[in-house]
Coordinates of all heavy atoms in Angstrom, one line a residue:
G1 N 201.3 47.5 2.9 CA 202.7 47.9 2.8 C 203.3 48.6 4.0 O 202.6 48.9 4.9
G2 N 204.7 48.9 4.0 CA 205.2 49.5 5.0 C 205.7 48.7 6.2 O 205.3 47.5 6.2
T3 N 206.1 49.4 7.2 CA 206.6 48.7 8.4 C 206.0 49.3 9.6 O 205.9 50.5 9.8 CB 208.1 48.8 8.6 OG1 208.8 48.2 7.5 CG2 208.6 48.1 9.9
L4 N 205.2 48.4 10.4 CA 204.7 48.8 11.8 C 205.6 48.5 12.8 O 206.2 47.3 12.9 CB 203.4 48.1 12.0 CG 202.7 48.3 13.3 CD1 202.2 49.7 13.4 CD2 201.6 47.2 13.4
Y5 N 205.8 49.4 13.9 CA 206.7 49.2 15.0 C 206.1 49.0 16.2 O 205.1 49.8 16.5 CB 207.8 50.3 15.0 CG 208.8 50.5 13.8 CD1 208.4 51.1 12.8 CD2 209.9 49.7 13.7 CE1 209.2 51.2 11.6 CE2 210.8 49.9 12.7 CZ 210.4 50.6 11.6 OH 211.3 50.7 10.5
V6 N 206.3 48.0 17.0 CA 205.8 47.8 18.3 C 206.9 48.0 19.3 O 207.8 47.3 19.3 CB 205.1 46.4 18.5 CG1 204.5 46.3 19.8 CG2 204.2 46.1 17.3
L7 N 206.7 49.0 20.1 CA 207.6 49.3 21.2 C 207.4 48.7 22.5 O 206.3 49.0 23.1 CB 207.9 50.9 21.5 CG 208.1 51.7 20.1 CD1 208.2 53.2 20.3 CD2 209.3 51.2 19.4
S8 N 208.1 47.8 23.1 CA 207.8 47.0 24.2 C 208.9 47.1 25.3 O 210.1 47.1 25.0 CB 207.6 45.7 23.8 OG 207.3 44.8 24.9
T9 N 208.5 47.1 26.5 CA 209.5 47.0 27.7 C 209.9 45.6 28.0 O 210.8 45.4 28.6 CB 208.9 47.7 28.9 OG1 207.8 47.0 29.3 CG2 208.6 49.2 28.7
D10 N 209.0 44.7 27.4 CA 209.4 43.2 27.6 C 210.7 42.9 26.9 O 211.0 43.5 25.8 CB 208.4 42.4 27.0 CG 207.0 42.5 27.9 OD1 207.2 42.9 28.9 OD2 206.0 42.0 27.3
T11 N 211.4 42.1 27.5 CA 212.8 41.6 27.0 C 212.7 40.5 26.0 O 213.7 40.0 25.3 CB 213.7 41.2 28.1 OG1 213.2 40.3 28.9 CG2 214.0 42.5 28.9
D12 N 211.5 39.9 25.9 CA 211.3 38.6 25.1 C 209.9 38.5 24.7 O 209.0 39.0 25.4 CB 212.0 37.3 25.8 CG 212.2 36.3 24.7 OD1 212.1 36.6 23.5 OD2 212.5 35.2 25.1
I13 N 209.6 37.8 23.6 CA 208.3 37.3 23.2 C 208.3 35.8 23.0 O 209.2 35.4 22.2 CB 207.7 38.1 22.0 CG1 207.7 39.6 22.1 CG2 206.5 37.6 21.5 CD1 207.3 40.3 20.9
N14 N 207.6 35.2 23.6 CA 207.5 33.6 23.5 C 206.5 33.3 22.3 O 205.3 33.4 22.5 CB 207.1 33.0 24.8 CG 207.5 31.5 24.8 OD1 207.3 30.8 23.7 ND2 207.9 31.0 25.9
W15 N 207.2 32.9 21.2 CA 206.2 32.5 20.1 C 205.8 31.2 20.0 O 205.1 30.5 19.1 CB 207.0 32.8 18.7 CG 207.4 34.2 18.6 CD1 208.6 34.8 19.0 CD2 206.5 35.3 18.2 NE1 208.6 36.2 18.7 CE2 207.3 36.6 18.4 CE3 205.3 35.4 17.9 CZ2 206.8 37.8 17.9 CZ3 204.7 36.6 17.5 CH2 205.4 37.8 17.5
D16 N 206.1 30.4 21.2 CA 205.7 29.0 21.3 C 204.2 29.0 21.8 O 203.9 29.5 22.9 CB 206.5 28.3 22.1 CG 206.2 26.7 22.1 OD1 205.1 26.2 22.1 OD2 207.3 25.9 22.3
P17 N 203.1 28.5 21.1 CA 201.9 28.6 21.6 C 201.6 27.8 22.7 O 200.6 28.1 23.5 CB 201.0 28.0 20.3 CG 202.0 27.1 19.6 CD 203.3 27.9 19.7
A18 N 202.4 26.6 23.1 CA 202.2 26.0 24.3 C 202.5 26.8 25.5 O 201.8 26.5 26.6 CB 203.0 24.7 24.1
K19 N 203.5 27.7 25.4 CA 203.9 28.5 26.4 C 203.4 29.9 26.6 O 203.6 30.7 27.6 CB 205.4 28.6 26.6 CG 206.1 27.2 26.6 CD 207.6 27.3 26.5 CE 208.2 27.8 27.8 NZ 209.6 27.7 27.8
S20 N 202.6 30.2 25.5 CA 202.1 31.6 25.4 C 200.9 31.9 26.2 O 199.9 31.1 26.3 CB 202.0 32.0 24.0 OG 201.4 33.3 23.8
Q21 N 200.8 33.2 26.6 CA 199.6 33.7 27.4 C 199.0 34.9 26.5 O 198.2 35.7 26.9 CB 199.8 34.0 28.7 CG 200.1 32.8 29.6 CD 200.3 33.2 31.1 OE1 200.1 34.3 31.5 NE2 200.6 32.2 31.9
S22 N 199.3 34.9 25.3 CA 199.0 36.1 24.4 C 197.6 36.1 24.1 O 197.0 35.0 24.0 CB 199.8 36.0 23.1 OG 199.4 37.1 22.3
L23 N 196.9 37.2 24.0 CA 195.6 37.3 23.7 C 195.4 37.0 22.2 O 196.4 37.1 21.4 CB 195.2 38.9 23.9 CG 195.1 39.3 25.2 CD1 194.8 40.9 25.3 CD2 193.9 38.6 26.1
A24 N 194.1 36.8 21.8 CA 193.8 36.3 20.4 C 193.8 37.5 19.5 O 193.8 37.3 18.3 CB 192.4 35.7 20.4
I25 N 194.1 38.7 19.9 CA 194.3 39.9 19.0 C 195.7 40.6 19.1 O 195.8 41.6 18.5 CB 193.1 40.9 19.3 CG1 193.3 41.4 20.7 CG2 191.8 40.3 19.1 CD1 192.5 42.6 21.0
T26 N 196.7 40.0 19.8 CA 197.9 40.6 19.9 C 199.0 39.7 19.2 O 198.7 39.0 18.2 CB 198.3 40.8 21.3 OG1 198.2 39.7 22.2 CG2 197.3 41.9 22.0
S27 N 200.3 39.7 19.7 CA 201.4 39.2 19.0 C 201.2 37.8 18.4 O 201.5 37.6 17.1 CB 202.7 39.4 19.7 OG 202.4 38.6 20.9
L28 N 201.0 36.9 19.2 CA 201.1 35.6 18.8 C 200.0 35.3 17.7 O 200.2 34.5 16.6 CB 200.6 34.6 19.9 CG 201.1 33.2 19.6 CD1 202.6 32.9 19.9 CD2 200.2 32.2 20.6
A29 N 198.9 35.9 17.6 CA 197.9 35.8 16.5 C 198.2 36.3 15.2 O 197.6 35.9 14.2 CB 196.5 36.4 17.0
L30 N 199.4 37.1 15.0 CA 200.0 37.4 13.8 C 200.6 36.3 13.2 O 200.7 36.2 11.9 CB 200.9 38.6 14.1 CG 200.4 39.9 14.6 CD1 201.5 40.8 15.0 CD2 199.4 40.6 13.5
V31 N 201.1 35.3 14.1 CA 202.0 34.2 13.5 C 201.2 32.9 13.6 O 201.3 32.0 12.6 CB 203.2 34.0 14.3 CG1 204.0 32.9 14.0 CG2 204.0 35.3 14.2
H32 N 200.3 32.7 14.5 CA 199.6 31.4 14.7 C 198.1 31.7 14.7 O 197.5 32.4 15.4 CB 199.9 30.7 16.0 CG 201.4 30.4 16.2 ND1 202.0 29.5 15.4 CD2 202.3 31.0 17.1 CE1 203.3 29.3 15.9 NE2 203.5 30.2 16.8
R33 N 197.4 30.8 13.9 CA 196.0 30.7 13.9 C 195.6 29.6 14.8 O 196.3 28.8 15.2 CB 195.4 30.6 12.5 CG 195.7 31.6 11.5 CD 195.3 31.4 10.0 NE 193.8 31.5 10.0 CZ 193.2 31.4 8.9 NH1 193.8 31.0 7.7 NH2 191.9 31.4 8.8
R34 N 194.3 29.7 15.2 CA 193.7 28.7 16.2 C 192.4 28.2 15.5 O 191.9 28.7 14.5 CB 193.5 29.3 17.5 CG 194.6 29.9 18.2 CD 194.6 31.4 18.0 NE 195.9 32.0 18.4 CZ 195.9 32.6 19.6 NH1 194.9 32.7 20.4 NH2 197.0 33.3 19.9
L35 N 191.7 27.2 16.0 CA 190.4 26.7 15.6 C 189.3 27.8 15.4 O 188.6 27.9 14.5 CB 189.9 25.6 16.4 CG 190.7 24.2 16.3 CD1 190.2 23.3 17.3 CD2 190.5 23.7 14.8
T36 N 189.3 28.6 16.5 CA 188.4 29.7 16.5 C 189.3 31.1 16.9 O 190.4 30.9 17.3 CB 187.2 29.7 17.5 OG1 187.7 29.5 18.9 CG2 186.4 28.4 17.2
T37 N 188.6 32.2 16.9 CA 189.3 33.4 17.2 C 188.3 34.4 17.6 O 187.1 34.1 17.7 CB 190.2 34.0 16.1 OG1 191.0 35.0 16.6 CG2 189.4 34.4 14.9
W38 N 188.7 35.6 17.9 CA 187.9 36.7 18.4 C 187.6 37.7 17.4 O 188.6 38.2 16.6 CB 188.4 37.3 19.7 CG 188.7 36.5 20.8 CD1 188.6 35.1 21.0 CD2 189.4 36.9 21.9 NE1 189.0 34.7 22.1 CE2 189.7 35.8 22.8 CE3 190.0 38.1 22.4 CZ2 190.3 35.9 24.0 CZ3 190.6 38.2 23.6 CH2 190.8 37.0 24.3
D39 N 186.4 38.1 17.1 CA 186.1 39.3 16.3 C 186.1 40.4 17.2 O 185.0 40.5 18.0 CB 184.8 39.1 15.5 CG 184.6 40.1 14.4 OD1 185.5 41.0 14.3 OD2 183.5 40.1 13.9
I40 N 187.0 41.5 17.2 CA 187.0 42.6 18.1 C 186.8 43.9 17.3 O 187.6 44.0 16.3 CB 188.1 42.6 18.9 CG1 188.3 41.3 19.8 CG2 188.3 43.8 20.0 CD1 187.3 41.2 20.9
T41 N 185.9 44.7 17.5 CA 185.7 45.9 16.9 C 185.7 47.0 17.9 O 185.5 46.7 19.1 CB 184.5 45.9 16.0 OG1 183.3 45.8 16.8 CG2 184.4 45.0 15.0
A42 N 185.9 48.2 17.4 CA 185.9 49.4 18.4 C 184.7 49.5 19.2 O 184.8 50.0 20.5 CB 186.2 50.7 17.5
D43 N 183.6 49.4 18.6 CA 182.3 49.6 19.4 C 181.3 48.5 19.6 O 180.2 48.7 20.0 CB 181.6 50.8 18.9 CG 181.2 50.6 17.4 OD1 181.7 49.5 16.8 OD2 180.7 51.5 16.7
G44 N 181.9 47.4 19.2 CA 181.0 46.2 19.3 C 181.3 45.2 20.4 O 182.3 45.3 20.9
A45 N 180.4 44.3 20.7 CA 180.7 43.2 21.7 C 181.7 42.2 21.0 O 181.6 41.9 19.8 CB 179.4 42.5 22.1

């Protein structure tokens, strides 16, 4: 629940997966899934 705010100096976010260079753990991955993805933890590989 609740609202999370992301403060960005960028003037736009490109949500088109063909044009995006977003990491698998940042903005685009909230909207689009892929065949595989990354499991990233604070202290793991």
Side-chain angles (χ1 to χ4, degrees):
T3 300
L4 175 69
Y5 296 89
V6 186
L7 308 180
S8 176
T9 60
D10 291 341
T11 56
D12 199 8
I13 298 176
N14 194 322
W15 300 99
D16 190 323
K19 300 179 72 173
S20 177
Q21 297 185 358
S22 176
L23 293 171
I25 60 168
T26 54
S27 60
L28 197 79
L30 296 165
V31 174
H32 297 292
R33 298 177 69 176
R34 305 95 185 264
L35 284 172
T36 64
T37 189
W38 306 353
D39 186 11
I40 302 292
T41 59
D43 54 2

